[in-house]
Amino acid sequence: MTKSSNTPSSKKNESLKTTRRNFLKSAAALPVMAVAPGLLHAASSEHVVVIGGGFGGATVAKYIRLWSNNSIQVTLVDPKALHTSCIMSNLVVNNRLRLDQLKITYDSLRDTHGVTVLRDKAIDIDPAAHTVRLKAGGNLHYDKLILAPGIGFKPLEGWDKKVMPHAWIAGNQTTLLKRQVSRLAQDSTFIMTIPRSPYRCPPGPYERACLIADHFVRKGISETDEARVVILDANEDIQAERETFSKAFDGIYRNIIDYVPNTEVFAADASTMALDTSFGEYRADAINIIPNQRAAWLLRKTGLTDGGDWAPVDPVTYESSVYPDIHIIGDSQATKQPKSGHMANSQAKVCADAIVRLMKGHAVDSKERLDNLTTNSACFSPITYDEASWLSANFAYDKSSGRMKLEHIGEAHEWSKGNYKEMFAWASNLFNDSFI
Amino acid sequence: MKSSFLHSVVIATTFLCSIAQAEDVTVNRLLASQCAQCHGTNGHAVGDMDGLDDESFKDLLEDLMDMRGEDRPDDIMDHQALGYTDDQIRRIASFYALISGKSEGTGESEHEEENEKEHEHD
């Protein structure tokens, strides 16, 4: 947090000599000295089930174990053996990173923190019986259930994601988009559709557009070439880092990027590579459909969205407004905080703290806690091959409305190589704080 | 930048407040954990990022108050610091001082270090 570099103390030098395993153990032990005795020593066999092993799910599993001094059992359920990070995945599209560099195991959650990791898919929830049904068979009983399943997509007529990838959940889709981008020629047209807000990672689409425009630039495009990146935005304006992206679209990428706001996409046709929109038909050599979004399927099926797109929660605990003992964090919940991995991590800590308090019989609504309930989001956006900008936002609980209120927001005055370097330090620490 | 006088007032006031009333350390822990996304769990940073686990109460408090006081905030941390109240910043510094073992009054501030360097040439 400090701007100045620290002078390593003898204590710090000693810690550098320890093995990685010892380091992790000492890190896990540290909270013990700071925890109130009542929260520390109550023996417990309560069971928390976490559905979804992304940034939110991994963080909440880890921090419940840390803050309960390992007294609360936590089971994490995810169908995949590894998590592939959406964060930094645009750098796979422009060939700065390999996808395998964004894959994170659950080994540390299991081996260091004692989380039970189940590779399975949750297919049903019975809120009355407090059980989750698993695809492989059998039911998992929970005292508290935490849902962190990410996003779901709204349907779009005629859309085939194998032809027009979304690449908005990292993995094979990211690889497919990368392949399509690598084939673009100097007279190619690339279209990206941006969903109506709210959607996952508000600056992400604009960042991706910049990197694909940069791809054209680095191929040596001149002002007479026909290459275009057309952004069809369902929103009336740029949704994040407006100053930065406006400057990029109107400046270094003015001959490549066409930004078209207020554009609704009605249908897609993979056979003709065409989109039917509120401004008529668009055709392109490659199309990146980032569809309109909503809460993940399991939440809608269980009725947790209460008829809306997202699941309403109390941000003091992230408990569902529909069913007790079910908590929802990250992209699927309905608070107005931005949907991002960093924010999911932030909400996960508030939720973990609440779960530990609730299970140990402590209040979650003391004035002191409510006065200090904060979340934040920070992210870096690559704008060129080796330069980045950043966005910072802080939220605090507002007792009068019962909502998280934006306290402060800021964005970088300019993109820079220094920011690009800092982006990797940010991501490394975010990955570690969530999964290690 | 805020003046060193103002720093002294803030530090003295917050120190007295912390003596006057017992506070829930787990509230401070939750608040401070919101730094960990960038600075590592319990302030143990990896890579090219400043850790917080060796920070004294006084140094961290001063750094954060400096960031909040920038006339033209241009660093991401200047903006992050603007998202917190004085009391929240004190609580964050207090939590990391528990980890570093450098609680109120035991830190050697950068200003003091700088003053010492200046006086070496006297």
Side-chain angles (χ1 to χ4, degrees), chain B residues 65-120:
Chain B
M65 294 305 289
D66 272 351
M67 292 166 190
R68 280 189 48 186
E70 290 284 357
D71 293 332
R72 187 176 182 271
D74 60 358
D75 186 276
I76 193 166
M77 262 314 302
D78 296 339
H79 286 278
Q80 279 288 320
L82 282 163
Y84 295 95
T85 65
D86 286 357
D87 187 57
Q88 287 169 343
I89 284 176
R90 178 194 58 76
R91 285 171 179 269
I92 290 169
S94 175
F95 177 78
Y96 285 110
L98 275 178
I99 291 178
S100 68
K102 299 174 181 176
S103 57
E104 285 89 339
T106 61
E108 186 176 43
S109 74
E110 290 167 23
H111 297 288
E112 287 167 343
E113 288 173 3
E114 285 164 10
N115 287 340
E116 283 173 11
K117 283 176 187 168
E118 285 170 13
H119 289 301
E120 283 173 6

Side-chain angles (χ1 to χ4, degrees), chain B residues 4-54:
Chain B
S4 57
F5 170 74
L6 185 54
H7 279 131
S8 304
V9 171
V10 170
I11 290 166
T13 306
T14 52
F15 180 51
L16 288 172
C17 286
S18 68
I19 292 172
Q21 59 186 40
E23 58 188 26
D24 185 344
V25 183
T26 61
V27 167
N28 297 1
R29 181 182 65 184
L30 173 58
L31 195 55
S33 75
Q34 299 295 348
C35 306
Q37 289 96 308
C38 297
H39 296 278
T41 306
N42 290 314
H44 298 288
V46 296
D48 192 15
M49 181 67 78
D50 290 334
L52 304 176
D53 53 332
D54 196 38

Side-chain angles (χ1 to χ4, degrees), chain A residues 89-90 92-95 161-169 171-184 190-192 204-205 208-209 212 215 286-290:
Chain A
S89 64
N90 278 336
V92 174
V93 176
N94 80 334
N95 217 23
K161 70 177 184 181
K162 291 178 181 169
V163 178
M164 302 176 182
H166 55 76
W168 218 240
I169 296 171
N172 293 339
Q173 281 277 299
T174 314
T175 307
L176 177 58
L177 180 64
K178 173 192 172 174
R179 203 158 52 232
Q180 293 187 355
V181 168
S182 70
R183 290 178 188 149
L184 293 173
F190 177 89
I191 288 179
M192 168 195 289
R208 179 179 288 175
I212 292 169
H215 169 78
I287 299 178
N288 172 207
I289 298 277
I290 307 174

Side-chain angles (χ1 to χ4, degrees), chain A residues 267-400:
Chain A
D269 186 338
S271 63
T272 58
M273 290 300 285
L275 298 178
D276 179 22
T277 80
S278 51
F279 290 119
E281 186 180 84
Y282 279 85
R283 286 176 185 250
D285 300 289
I287 299 178
N288 172 207
I289 298 277
I290 307 174
N292 287 326
Q293 295 165 25
R294 58 186 176 184
W297 164 82
L298 185 61
L299 280 75
R300 303 199 309 275
K301 179 187 179 189
T302 313
L304 288 160
T305 56
D306 204 18
D309 283 339
W310 308 100
V313 296
D314 175 3
V316 171
T317 58
Y318 288 88
E319 187 172 35
S320 163
S321 306
V322 179
Y323 290 117
D325 297 327
I326 297 179
H327 300 245
I328 302 149
I329 55 173
D331 295 348
S332 273
Q333 52 76 41
T335 69
K336 303 294 184 191
Q337 299 165 99
K339 299 183 185 304
S340 71
H342 188 116
M343 177 53 85
N345 171 303
S346 187
Q347 293 167 359
K349 290 162 181 168
V350 175
C351 181
D353 177 78
I355 295 278
V356 173
R357 287 173 189 276
L358 289 167
M359 287 189 146
K360 305 300 181 192
H362 295 264
V364 293
D365 58 353
S366 68
K367 181 179 183 302
E368 187 178 5
R369 183 173 187 268
L370 297 185
D371 284 344
N372 293 288
L373 215 50
T374 67
T375 57
N376 67 66
S377 186
C379 69
F380 289 78
S381 299
I383 303 295
T384 71
Y385 191 70
D386 59 1
E387 296 169 304
S389 63
W390 50 257
L391 175 67
S392 165
N394 294 79
F395 292 80
Y397 183 68
D398 177 45
K399 282 188 281 193
S400 61

